[in-house]
Amino acid sequence: MSSLTTSEAGQAASARRKKRLTAFLFVVPLLLFILVTFVAPIGTMLWRSVHHPTVAELIPLTLAELQRWDDHKQLPDEKTLQVFVTELHGLNEQRLSGKLSEEFNRAYTGMSSVVKSSARRIGRLDAQKLETQGVKTLLDAHRNWSKPELWYAIERAGKVYTYDYYLTALDLELHPDEGIQVRQDTQIYLQLYTKTLNMALVITLLCALLGYPLAYYLAGLPSNRANLLLVLVLLPFWTSLLVRTTSWIALLQTNGVINSFLMGIGLIGQPFEMLYTSFATVVAMTHILLPFMILPLYSVMRGIDPSYMRAALSLGDKPIPAFARIYFPMTLPGLSAGALLVFIISVGYYITPALVGGTDGQMISNIIAFHMQRSNNWELAAALGSLLLGLILLLYWVYDRFVGASNIKLG
């Protein structure tokens, strides 16, 4: 067998490079799609959660003076306060004091109206009075300006790169003397994370309990009947998510279908409060996410040879022990895939809890949307979203560690 000449080897290598380049060019659109729709938004969210230059851009001179402030139990010196008064006077003329009040209010609760009223009072001073009476006017405007903890909060808010939003998202705060400690005024976010995980777990268990018997029944039917019933499983996907969620409002409300039926047959004397509760969120989301559990289970069960169970029964094993030892372990890949899909989707769900959950049935995604749409605190929303992403990745790692991601089968 003769070896290739140098020219032939070069041609073969060139052909391989051309094939690799052609294959890469086919993949480029997919890579760009992933970069634009997945990597870039997540990277922006992570960056936004630690980068906040707004206060530093509004009062840079004050923040520079605060760097000399060592004793956080006393007010900053008069020079620092005078610099702040001068910058606040300029912001009032530029109509930017409202933006500063919004930032201060996030750092120290109740400062929105204080900054606005103080800016108006200082804005009425001329240059000479600003120099001689500016600090006194500021301190007389509101008692908060005489609190050292306010100025410490301003100093923290002025950092361009900060982890304070992550502390807030974990119901923590940084004290100048005692370090990181639990927030005393509000502790809501950890409760919401716990509530979200509990609700997602309940939804996953309900989907498994409802989906496993149905998938088992479908897998045992002839192909034509199984395909027909599978169409009914997929039927909810043909209806708008908003319509499906709204239909649950008609069913669960006080004068809705369920309460009217129960009262009509005399089972209850007064309607149940089902809408705008955690119960409504769990029921509606179980209905919506059930197909994501059934489809992986059906796909795996359809490939299991029925002769395994028949062989176990013919050897004298009981039906239930045979099912538990032989059939059920073979369905674990589909069950794992369905559980992982349902759990991850339900953790980040937004529309259904917003429509049927009310205050009691809200999840962490609704609070993230609130900070993005209403409070305009994108940095805190980004921190909450980053922690949610990290939590999901942690749960996936735990799942892969003890179960194995390679056991997941979607069909």
Side-chain angles (χ1 to χ4, degrees):
M1 185 176 180
S2 59
S3 59
L4 295 175
T5 63
T6 304
S7 176
E8 291 172 337
Q11 293 176 357
S14 177
R16 287 194 298 270
R17 287 194 298 269
K18 186 176 180 180
K19 288 182 179 180
R20 293 195 190 99
L21 180 61
T22 302
F24 176 74
L25 291 176
F26 277 113
V27 178
V28 164
L30 177 61
L31 295 177
L32 291 176
F33 176 79
I34 294 175
L35 179 64
V36 172
T37 62
F38 187 75
V39 177
I42 291 179
T44 303
M45 177 183 67
L46 295 174
W47 173 256
R48 193 73 179 265
S49 66
V50 296
H51 181 252
H52 185 60
T54 305
V55 177
E57 294 172 352
L58 292 173
I59 52 171
L61 300 179
T62 301
L63 295 174
E65 291 294 329
L66 284 175
Q67 292 181 359
R68 301 184 294 101
W69 182 40
D70 297 327
D71 188 1
H72 294 105
K73 294 183 179 180
Q74 301 291 331
L75 280 178
D77 56 30
E78 188 169 350
K79 180 183 178 183
T80 302
L81 297 180
Q82 182 61 48
V83 170
F84 175 72
V85 167
T86 304
E87 289 191 309
L88 185 60
H89 185 276
L91 291 175
N92 183 69
E93 292 181 344
Q94 301 172 27
R95 299 184 181 276
L96 292 176
S97 59
K99 190 173 183 180
L100 183 67
S101 68
E102 181 180 337
E103 296 296 329
F104 278 15
N105 193 62
R106 295 174 184 172
Y108 195 91
T109 305
M111 286 301 296
S112 179
S113 59
V114 173
V115 174
K116 291 177 183 178
S117 61
S118 301
R120 287 193 297 268
R121 293 182 62 174
I122 292 174
R124 290 192 288 265
L125 301 177
D126 55 28
Q128 183 178 359
K129 289 184 177 180
L130 184 67
E131 190 70 26
T132 57
Q133 304 177 18
V135 174
K136 184 177 184 302
T137 303
L138 176 71
L139 297 178
D140 291 343
H142 197 276
R143 61 181 181 274
N144 280 358
W145 296 116
S146 300
K147 296 180 179 180
E149 56 266 27
L150 168 64
W151 293 97
Y152 178 73
I154 293 174
E155 182 185 25
R156 294 291 306 174
K159 294 185 179 298
V160 178
Y161 298 96
T162 177
Y163 56 85
D164 286 359
Y165 293 103
Y166 283 99
L167 293 180
T168 303
L170 294 172
D171 291 329
L172 302 173
E173 62 182 356
L174 183 63
H175 193 273
D177 299 322
E178 302 175 8
I180 297 176
Q181 59 182 4
V182 178
R183 291 176 65 92
Q184 301 298 324
D185 49 354
T186 56
Q187 297 182 25
I188 58 173
Y189 298 116
L190 287 182
Q191 295 179 8
L192 275 172
Y193 276 115
T194 303
K195 183 179 182 181
T196 299
L197 291 177
N198 289 336
M199 292 176 66
L201 182 60
V202 171
I203 293 167
T204 304
L205 291 176
L206 288 175
C207 286
L209 291 175
L210 296 173
Y212 197 96
L214 181 57
Y216 179 77
Y217 175 73
L218 292 175
L221 292 177
S223 297
N224 54 350
R225 292 179 59 190
N227 291 335
L228 177 61
L229 294 179
L230 199 60
V231 171
L232 299 180
V233 174
L234 297 173
L235 193 60
F237 289 125
W238 302 350
T239 308
S240 169
L241 175 63
L242 185 61
V243 173
R244 283 181 281 163
T245 303
T246 307
S247 65
W248 279 105
I249 297 178
L251 290 171
L252 298 175
Q253 62 185 340
T254 305
N255 298 320
V257 176
I258 296 178
N259 275 316
S260 298
F261 173 75
L262 294 177
M263 293 178 66
I265 63 177
L267 284 181
I268 58 175
Q270 57 183 5
F272 289 124
E273 292 292 337
M274 294 183 289
L275 191 60
Y276 306 129
T277 62
S278 298
F279 171 79
T281 300
V282 170
V283 170
M285 288 182 61
T286 300
H287 164 247
I288 292 170
L289 298 177
L290 187 57
F292 291 98
M293 179 67 73
I294 295 175
L295 294 177
L297 279 170
Y298 171 77
S299 178
V300 172
M301 290 178 177
R302 197 70 180 175
I304 297 176
D305 193 342
S307 62
Y308 294 142
M309 282 293 293
R310 291 197 297 266
L313 295 176
S314 65
L315 292 174
D317 203 355
K318 301 288 184 181
I320 294 180
F323 178 87
R325 288 198 295 261
I326 297 174
Y327 190 86
F328 181 76
M330 289 190 290
T331 62
L332 284 179
L335 183 62
S336 301
L340 202 61
L341 277 175
V342 172
F343 187 84
I344 290 178
I345 293 175
S346 59
V347 164
Y349 230 66
Y350 165 71
I351 295 178
T352 302
L355 292 178
V356 304
T359 304
D360 184 56
Q362 296 288 298
M363 303 176 77
I364 193 65
S365 56
N366 302 107
I367 301 301
I368 294 174
F370 168 79
H371 285 302
M372 295 180 66
Q373 298 171 359
R374 299 182 61 182
S375 72
N376 201 30
N377 194 345
W378 283 60
E379 289 75 19
L380 180 55
L384 290 168
S386 301
L387 290 176
L388 182 61
L389 174 63
L391 180 62
I392 292 175
L393 292 177
L394 176 63
L395 292 174
Y396 181 80
W397 177 84
V398 172
Y399 176 89
D400 180 53
R401 180 71 175 80
F402 292 99
V403 180
S406 59
N407 292 324
I408 296 178
K409 290 185 179 178
L410 298 177

